[in-house]
Amino acid sequence: MLEFDRITFNPNMMGGKACIRGMRVTVSLVLNLVANGMSIEEILAAYPYLEPDDVRQALQYAAWLTEETVHPLELASA
């Protein structure tokens, strides 16, 4: 498993959602910006307190969350 040192969780901040370095910037916000076509440079210009590694780690975290694992099912005998 990767180490996500820039992703933080606080039940008293942003409803406990994954945030960037304890700030009120959620991973989902960063992902939505990327998904809607913003480059890392544009995100950093809009959110100057973020760093390039924050955006990269948000993407890595999302990829890790969606990692697929196949578990074969055993069919019951008739």
Side-chain angles (χ1 to χ4, degrees), residues 46-62:
Y47 299 88
Y49 38 87
L50 292 178
E51 300 172 0
D53 283 343
D54 295 329
V55 178
R56 280 191 282 277
Q57 197 164 107
L59 292 168
Q60 290 170 338
Y61 177 70

Side-chain angles (χ1 to χ4, degrees), residues 10-25:
N10 181 340
N12 297 316
M13 182 183 296
M14 305 303 286
K17 291 182 179 181
C19 291
I20 305 295
R21 293 186 291 122
M23 296 185 282
R24 293 183 175 276
V25 178

Side-chain angles (χ1 to χ4, degrees), residues 15-75:
K17 291 182 179 181
C19 291
I20 305 295
R21 293 186 291 122
M23 296 185 282
R24 293 183 175 276
V25 178
T26 61
V27 169
S28 63
L29 170 67
V30 174
L31 296 176
N32 275 303
L33 295 174
V34 172
N36 284 292
M38 284 184 81
S39 68
I40 291 178
E41 293 77 19
E42 290 170 321
I43 294 169
L44 298 177
Y47 299 88
Y49 38 87
L50 292 178
E51 300 172 0
D53 283 343
D54 295 329
V55 178
R56 280 191 282 277
Q57 197 164 107
L59 292 168
Q60 290 170 338
Y61 177 70
W64 176 76
L65 283 178
T66 62
E67 188 175 282
E68 294 183 38
T69 305
V70 176
H71 300 280
L73 298 175
E74 290 185 31
L75 297 176

